[in-house]
Amino acid sequence: MEAIAPAEYKVSEKTRKAGFGFEPDDIASFVRSHDYKNYKKIGEVEGIIEKLSVSVDDGVSQDSVDTRQEIYGVNRYTEKPSKSFLMFVWEALHDLTLIILMVCALVSICIGLPTEGWPKGLYDGLGIILSIFLVVIVTAVSDYQQSLQFRDLDKEKKKIFVQVTRDSKRQKVSIYDLVVGDIVHLSTGDQVPADGIYISGYSLVIDESSLTGESDPVNIDEKRPFLLSGTKVQDGQGKMIVTTVGMRTEWGKLMETLSEGGEDETPLQVKLNGVATVIGKIGLTFSVLTFVVLTIRFVVEKAIRGELAIWSSNDALKLLDYFAIAVTIIVVAIPEGLPLAVTLSLAFAMKKLMNDKALVRHLSACETMGSATCICTDKTGTLTTNHMVVNKIWICGKSLEIKGNESVDKLKTQISEEVLSILLRAIFQNTSSEVVKDKDGKMSILGTPTESALLEFGMLSGGDFDAQRSVYKILKVEPFNSVRKKMSVLVGLPDGGVQAFCKGASEIVLKLCNKVIDPNGTVVDLSDEQARNVSDIINGFASEALRTLCLAVKDVNETQGEASIPEDGYTLVAIVGIKDPVRPGVKEAVQSCLAAGISVRMVTGDNINTAKAIAKECGILTEGGIAIEGPQFRDLSPEQMKSIIPRIQVMARSLPLDKHTLVTRLRNMFGEVVAVTGDGTNDAPALHESDIGLAMGIAGTEVAKENADVIIMDDNFTTIVNVARWGRAIYINIQKFVQFQLTVNIVALIINFVSACITGSAPLTAVQLLWVNLIMDTLGALALATEPPNDGLMQRPPVGRTTSFITKPMWRNIFGQSLYQLIVLAVLTFDGKRLLRINGSDATMVVNTLIFNSFVFCQVFNEINSREIEKINIFRGMFESWIFFSVILSTVVFQVVIVEFLGTFASTVPLSWQFWVLSVVIGAISMPIAAILKCIPVERRDTATPHDGYEALPSGPELA
């Protein structure tokens, strides 16, 4: 798109009065089209800053935010309106079997009214319609509830904060509160929050693939200053001025053309859809057979009576009744509750996990986490608190412990003013963090915990961040990233000289040094022996679980204009030991993982001794376990990897590529289900490769979060274990529901089919079967699929990747319970009148009502039995799950109402108290039967030990 020439930029009266020199569409147009020619004519970034009435140092004033939003719009995208409750009702009515049943009901009413009169002719048809209405409403309510939950989840996903300068202060604001003119600070891993123009920065590299599809990163500088919303910062840091927000941005235009995609089906839903299809086909076969048998019997009986040529409306009603029963058998047989149970269970778990600080981005991750056999976790912030403080410092050949002001005063007496000045410069100049004042004048630090700890120490030592920054001029910056493991800056001194400062991983920076400051404060050559002593100091700090950093300086001879950051020849200034305590509860969480058959591996960029000390404290590094460094791991041959990987518990000084290799090998060589934590942009490949990618909510970059399946909002390892617990709960809950549903299916199909074949009528009518279907599908799913996890879940091995979903213990319980129910119902169907001495004109109705009542109570008690597949104690935690308890209670109440008061519609008659007791007893007997069944041993192969096949491997050499 060709932008308009500057001369043609017309500004409306409203915009001019507000003090701006651009119309929203004009500025949006030339930034989107990268119109560099007009950009030059406007006066480049300075011209834009002037026309948008803003200052780079002060940023937007809070008072002008509303005016800017009124003229340039808000930074939000137009979203598709969500579906209303009535839409869900309408969708539920589209079920083919329900439509057929509605047609049957209407035909029943049309035939019933002329033959049986008003209102009796309405009852059968109206009963079916009321049952359908109940099924539709319950389904719609359930689906609507889930959609509300997913909407909340979506809102949570979109909570992104960016750093801006406003009212002369650097502060965090929501991406939605950005306005045109905002000065935004970008760093590696950030998402560009709106379209804008680059002001200044260092090595700013942008990944535009999400917009353009081009995988090559773009270098942003004065010659290529255009930044587009939705792109990612791959490297470097910089400042930009926001020129376009919301739907006028390139990303907004793209969003307009896309309709919102739904969630893909999870592996379990796919698996269960397969089960449902098979059961549906079996149901269809039984349904057709039932209809054929009933019709043939009816026709044969008419022929025997010699009435084959005489057909009345009653006969039509009878055939219609048979057809309705056949269709209802299909309704009961098709287990539409299976996918519903998965969605319900996942939605319930996601909501609970959201409250427990875990944001699930992909539904399937919840489920997969239940099968995880290995967690590869970061150290900093995940196992540790990420509240860092400088605990020790080695400077001028002396080691000092830092504990408050007294220690700092002692440090000042032991080193010269000049050395202290260099130390403070190394801290305050070589940092990507900032010290800012809030409204009350209180100092706070914006930046990473490591840098914050250093700046705090610098301020404690009498340093002034603003004073330092105003005296010295930063010329070049090489930001820290996980590959370089160091950060370097080039600083212009007031006298015209240039100094380079470098800080980072101790071993790496130490290799760049050839000089050191001795105890007298003079710079001397760093001999091999001294280098070994310094290494011992580093290892000593590390073995105390301190994170070590080296600070180094070098005088550069070039002039300020053309200096480049040196790669060697530095003078070692100090070694800093930063304390990052282990989070409370981590040791217990690791133990819980090990008990559950989940191995925990620490993958960190830190020093190996620090990593080992923390790993031992957390219980990760155990006897016989291996700690290895990234470079050593990279040099291993595939054969060596095969023997060593099972025993690796700690990987230190690792690159993101090492993490990716470890994850790939664990999955491909050993068939592990791997969960990986990551926070940096470079962790994205490992997060993507893993079975479950876990991004850190606090320390994580937007790029890492986008590639993750779950975002751990509090960066806590205990939360990760909680996700695993819920993952297992989902899997087990759905197994319980499938066991319950298959039992009902088998019994309902067989009893109706056999009875139709032998007696010529089905004991369970269409309305009764629809009620059973509601208990079985929607209410059963609600009760069993939303059970919270219990502690026993984390004391069993994970479920294997190729395991059959329906296990042998489940088949044992299904067949045992089905057999019991079929025997009882068959006895009542074929010999109930004689055994119970039921006489009179309504004897058949009484027996059929008793069969229906007993059948429902069998399901109620079997629902309780299904709470445990293998354990005998089925009542544990039952009263803590209010959903389960409410479903059971409401089922019983509704059953009483249907039998006693809705007999006209449900083809039932009120029962005496003795028959009610008999129905409850028949149902309750299923409990001891369930307990006996669970005592029958069956071979189980439904779990995978975390190290299947490892024992046979040759033991690898001890690497660390």
Side-chain angles (χ1 to χ4, degrees):
M1 188 195 304
E2 189 62 43
I4 321 158
E8 292 177 48
Y9 282 134
K10 291 186 175 68
V11 180
S12 68
E13 191 59 32
K14 185 181 175 186
T15 307
R16 189 178 288 109
K17 271 187 182 170
F20 305 126
F22 269 127
E23 281 301 310
D25 289 327
D26 292 344
I27 191 166
S29 156
F30 96 77
V31 171
R32 272 209 318 274
S33 58
H34 289 30
D35 187 353
Y36 192 69
K37 198 165 81 179
N38 272 349
Y39 171 69
K40 292 280 281 184
K41 286 179 186 172
I42 288 162
E44 299 191 358
V45 74
E46 290 79 13
I48 287 171
I49 287 167
E50 187 188 330
K51 283 179 183 287
L52 292 177
S53 300
V54 74
S55 142
V56 174
D57 296 329
D58 300 338
V60 166
S61 75
Q62 199 61 44
D63 305 336
S64 74
V65 167
D66 291 342
T67 313
R68 289 173 188 274
Q69 285 186 337
E70 192 184 331
I71 289 171
Y72 291 104
V74 290
N75 198 27
R76 284 180 184 271
Y77 305 121
T78 309
E79 288 182 11
K80 216 169 76 171
S82 47
K83 281 197 279 190
S84 65
F85 174 68
L86 289 174
M87 278 299 293
F88 284 102
V89 172
W90 181 244
E91 282 176 10
L93 281 166
H94 278 70
D95 187 290
L96 182 63
T97 47
L98 291 184
I99 291 169
I100 295 170
L101 278 174
M102 277 187 267
V103 172
C104 285
L106 291 171
V107 173
S108 171
I109 291 168
C110 293
I111 297 172
L113 281 173
T115 53
E116 295 180 38
W118 173 276
K120 207 179 173 193
L122 279 177
Y123 292 156
D124 280 354
L126 210 57
I128 293 175
I129 287 170
L130 282 174
S131 303
I132 290 168
F133 175 74
L134 191 61
V135 170
V136 165
I137 292 296
V138 172
T139 308
V141 167
S142 155
D143 288 347
Y144 183 60
Q145 284 288 99
Q146 283 165 45
S147 83
L148 291 180
Q149 280 187 20
F150 289 133
R151 210 185 309 164
D152 290 346
L153 181 74
D154 216 42
K155 278 184 196 159
E156 202 68 37
K157 277 186 203 175
K158 290 172 183 168
K159 278 186 186 171
I160 298 172
F161 287 88
V162 287
Q163 292 200 2
V164 299
T165 300
R166 275 196 189 170
D167 293 326
S168 310
K169 295 184 183 73
R170 188 159 157 180
Q171 51 191 277
K172 272 188 179 179
V173 299
S174 163
I175 195 169
Y176 296 130
D177 297 332
L178 274 189
V179 291
V180 167
D182 258 327
I183 307 296
V184 177
H185 300 261
L186 297 172
S187 54
T188 307
D190 285 350
Q191 181 173 309
V192 178
D195 288 2
I197 299 286
Y198 169 82
I199 301 170
S200 62
Y202 314 101
S203 323
L204 191 61
V205 179
I206 299 286
D207 171 14
E208 292 188 348
S209 57
S210 55
L211 271 185
T212 63
E214 294 292 330
S215 55
D216 291 342
V218 177
N219 291 298
I220 298 292
D221 51 30
E222 289 78 7
K223 295 276 188 295
R224 191 166 185 174
F226 304 104
L227 289 150
L228 297 179
S229 167
T231 57
K232 313 286 188 308
V233 181
Q234 196 166 311
D235 203 358
Q237 55 196 60
K239 270 196 281 197
M240 68 175 266
I241 179 166
V242 174
T243 58
T244 321
V245 292
M247 293 307 286
R248 287 192 181 93
T249 63
E250 186 68 20
W251 188 253
K253 296 276 175 206
L254 184 68
M255 294 295 277
E256 229 172 358
T257 62
L258 297 175
S259 59
E260 200 172 302
E263 276 277 357
D264 289 336
E265 284 197 324
T266 74
L268 197 53
Q269 279 173 322
V270 172
K271 207 181 249 188
L272 288 178
N273 281 342
V275 172
T277 307
V278 172
I279 296 168
K281 284 175 182 171
I282 295 168
L284 183 64
T285 309
F286 268 90
S287 153
V288 170
L289 284 173
T290 307
F291 180 68
V292 168
V293 167
L294 286 169
T295 308
I296 290 171
R297 274 193 67 115
F298 177 68
V299 171
V300 167
E301 281 171 8
K302 267 183 89 66
I304 290 167
R305 289 198 304 271
E307 299 171 1
L308 202 57
I310 309 158
W311 288 84
S312 67
S313 55
N314 271 339
D315 293 338
L317 212 57
K318 196 110 180 162
L319 287 173
L320 188 72
D321 195 31
Y322 293 160
F323 183 68
I325 288 169
V327 173
T328 315
I329 285 176
I330 300 175
V331 174
V332 174
I334 294 173
E336 65 268 31
L338 290 185
L340 171 74
V342 181
T343 318
L344 261 178
S345 194
L346 288 168
F348 181 72
M350 283 164 82
K351 191 171 184 190
K352 291 288 182 189
L353 283 168
M354 217 150 99
N355 298 339
D356 291 345
K357 303 285 183 213
L359 175 66
V360 180
R361 291 186 79 248
H362 300 132
L363 275 178
S364 55
C366 242
E367 197 181 282
T368 316
M369 195 65 192
S371 306
T373 57
C374 165
I375 299 173
C376 295
T377 173
D378 282 338
K379 175 182 75 68
T380 309
T382 309
L383 300 171
T384 59
T385 58
N386 221 6
H387 294 303
M388 302 197 189
V389 285
V390 174
N391 186 264
K392 275 191 169 181
I393 186 168
W394 179 90
I395 189 167
C396 295
K398 303 177 188 76
S399 222
L400 283 170
E401 196 163 343
I402 306 295
K403 283 186 179 169
N405 290 327
E406 290 170 17
S407 310
V408 173
D409 293 338
K410 189 180 173 188
L411 170 68
K412 286 179 181 173
T413 61
Q414 302 210 3
I415 61 174
S416 67
E417 280 289 324
E418 195 185 343
V419 174
L420 182 63
S421 169
I422 292 172
L423 175 66
L424 293 178
R425 242 178 292 155
I427 290 171
F428 288 127
Q429 299 304 326
N430 190 13
T431 181
S432 58
S433 298
E434 277 190 41
V435 179
V436 292
K437 279 184 186 171
D438 59 17
K439 291 170 190 167
D440 310 322
K442 194 179 162 197
M443 293 284 193
S444 62
I445 298 167
L446 290 174
T448 65
T450 311
E451 297 213 316
S452 300
L454 272 179
L455 288 179
E456 263 176 45
F457 171 68
M459 284 152 66
L460 203 64
S461 306
D464 183 331
F465 181 81
D466 291 331
Q468 284 264 357
R469 282 296 174 98
S470 58
V471 172
Y472 301 98
K473 185 186 175 194
I474 291 180
L475 306 173
K476 277 192 182 170
V477 177
E478 195 183 71
F480 178 88
N481 72 26
S482 50
V483 176
R484 285 192 289 267
K485 298 199 186 297
K486 63 184 171 70
M487 176 180 178
S488 312
V489 292
L490 215 54
V491 177
L493 306 179
D495 61 7
V498 177
Q499 270 187 331
F501 291 96
C502 181
K503 75 160 184 231
S506 304
E507 310 92 288
I508 288 167
V509 177
L510 183 60
K511 284 176 187 165
L512 309 180
C513 298
N514 58 8
K515 290 185 175 65
V516 66
I517 301 175
D518 74 357
N520 304 318
T522 51
V523 174
V524 296
D525 287 337
L526 182 67
S527 65
D528 290 347
E529 191 184 338
Q530 273 178 309
R532 278 196 294 275
N533 290 342
V534 174
S535 286
D536 291 342
I537 297 288
I538 292 167
N539 291 337
F541 280 17
S543 58
E544 291 175 43
L546 297 180
R547 186 169 209 184
T548 64
L549 286 179
C550 258
L551 307 180
V553 65
K554 181 181 183 179
D555 288 315
V556 181
N557 298 324
E558 292 108 322
T559 59
Q560 287 195 14
E562 57 206 40
S564 60
I565 297 173
E567 284 300 321
D568 55 16
Y570 284 90
T571 300
L572 178 61
V573 178
I575 290 161
V576 180
I578 296 172
K579 182 82 176 166
D580 186 11
V582 169
R583 280 182 184 272
V586 163
K587 191 167 186 181
E588 292 76 10
V590 170
Q591 290 309 314
S592 148
C593 279
L594 298 175
I598 305 170
S599 55
V600 182
R601 292 176 168 88
M602 181 203 282
V603 184
T604 176
D606 238 332
N607 177 298
I608 192 158
N609 293 316
T610 310
K612 282 162 77 173
I614 297 275
K616 279 178 182 163
E617 199 177 332
C618 296
I620 291 172
L621 188 58
T622 56
E623 207 174 316
I626 290 174
I628 188 173
E629 286 190 315
Q632 282 175 285
F633 177 73
R634 260 167 270 151
D635 293 339
L636 295 175
S637 67
E639 286 71 30
Q640 285 175 308
M641 277 192 181
K642 201 167 184 182
S643 65
I644 286 163
I645 284 176
R647 293 162 59 212
I648 290 177
Q649 291 173 340
V650 175
M651 193 192 289
R653 284 288 176 244
S654 68
L655 298 178
L657 187 67
D658 300 327
K659 192 189 271 191
H660 183 263
T661 307
L662 179 66
V663 171
T664 311
R665 293 276 191 274
L666 282 167
R667 292 185 72 218
N668 299 342
M669 273 187 181
F670 304 103
E672 295 246 21
V673 178
V674 186
V676 172
T677 69
D679 51 19
T681 308
N682 292 310
D683 287 327
L687 289 171
H688 194 70
E689 174 64 30
S690 63
D691 293 283
I692 312 103
L694 307 158
M696 299 298 120
I698 300 167
T701 61
E702 288 310 316
V703 177
K705 288 177 192 174
E706 205 161 281
N707 279 279
D709 302 299
V710 181
I711 299 171
I712 307 297
M713 307 295 272
D714 58 356
D715 291 16
N716 193 341
F717 185 78
T718 314
T719 308
I720 297 171
V721 179
N722 204 23
V723 177
R725 284 177 78 233
W726 271 102
R728 290 186 172 201
I730 288 167
Y731 196 87
I732 296 286
N733 285 349
I734 293 164
Q735 280 188 318
K736 294 173 188 173
F737 173 68
V738 168
Q739 176 182 300
F740 166 69
Q741 192 172 38
L742 287 183
T743 309
V744 190
N745 271 4
I746 289 170
V747 176
L749 288 177
I750 292 176
I751 197 74
N752 262 16
F753 176 67
V754 172
S755 176
C757 292
I758 296 170
T759 67
S761 67
L764 299 173
T765 66
V767 173
Q768 290 169 0
L769 282 173
L770 280 170
W771 168 234
V772 168
N773 187 55
L774 193 68
I775 298 173
M776 182 176 81
D777 274 353
T778 314
L779 297 179
L782 200 61
L784 291 166
T786 56
E787 287 256 288
N790 57 54
D791 295 333
L793 289 177
M794 295 304 277
Q795 285 155 13
R796 45 179 289 165
V799 176
R801 213 187 263 271
T802 54
T803 307
S804 165
F805 182 74
I806 304 176
T807 62
K808 287 183 179 176
M810 284 169 72
W811 281 124
R812 174 197 63 197
N813 298 343
I814 290 166
F815 287 134
Q817 285 291 345
S818 301
L819 191 64
Y820 162 68
Q821 289 183 27
L822 283 169
I823 289 168
V824 170
L825 297 178
V827 167
L828 287 175
T829 303
F830 300 117
D831 207 19
K833 287 180 194 172
R834 188 185 65 79
L835 283 174
L836 299 171
R837 296 183 183 142
I838 300 169
N839 304 309
S841 58
D842 62 348
T844 306
M845 281 289 277
V846 172
V847 171
N848 282 351
T849 305
L850 182 62
I851 289 168
F852 168 55
N853 211 29
S854 304
F855 180 57
V856 169
F857 274 100
C858 278
Q859 307 330 315
V860 168
F861 283 99
N862 195 32
E863 206 162 342
I864 299 169
N865 290 335
S866 297
R867 291 189 72 247
E868 288 288 352
I869 292 172
E870 293 183 71
K871 289 183 182 163
I872 290 173
N873 182 5
I874 49 177
F875 297 106
R876 189 178 67 170
M878 184 171 112
F879 301 102
E880 290 164 28
S881 175
W882 66 269
I883 297 179
F884 185 88
F885 199 65
S886 309
V887 167
I888 295 292
L889 204 62
S890 57
T891 306
V892 172
V893 170
F894 263 106
Q895 182 63 16
V896 172
V897 170
I898 286 168
V899 169
E900 295 296 318
F901 306 108
L902 297 177
T904 316
F905 299 109
S907 308
T908 58
V909 290
L911 293 175
S912 65
W913 69 267
Q914 291 96 330
F915 285 157
W916 273 103
V917 170
L918 179 63
S919 299
V920 174
V921 168
I922 287 170
I925 289 171
S926 70
M927 284 183 162
I929 286 172
I932 293 164
L933 286 170
K934 285 167 190 174
C935 295
I936 300 169
V938 287
E939 179 204 357
R940 49 177 300 142
R941 277 299 296 161
D942 61 319
T943 56
T945 52
H947 301 299
D948 267 352
Y950 285 0
E951 289 74 7
L953 296 169
S955 59
E958 281 296 330
L959 293 173

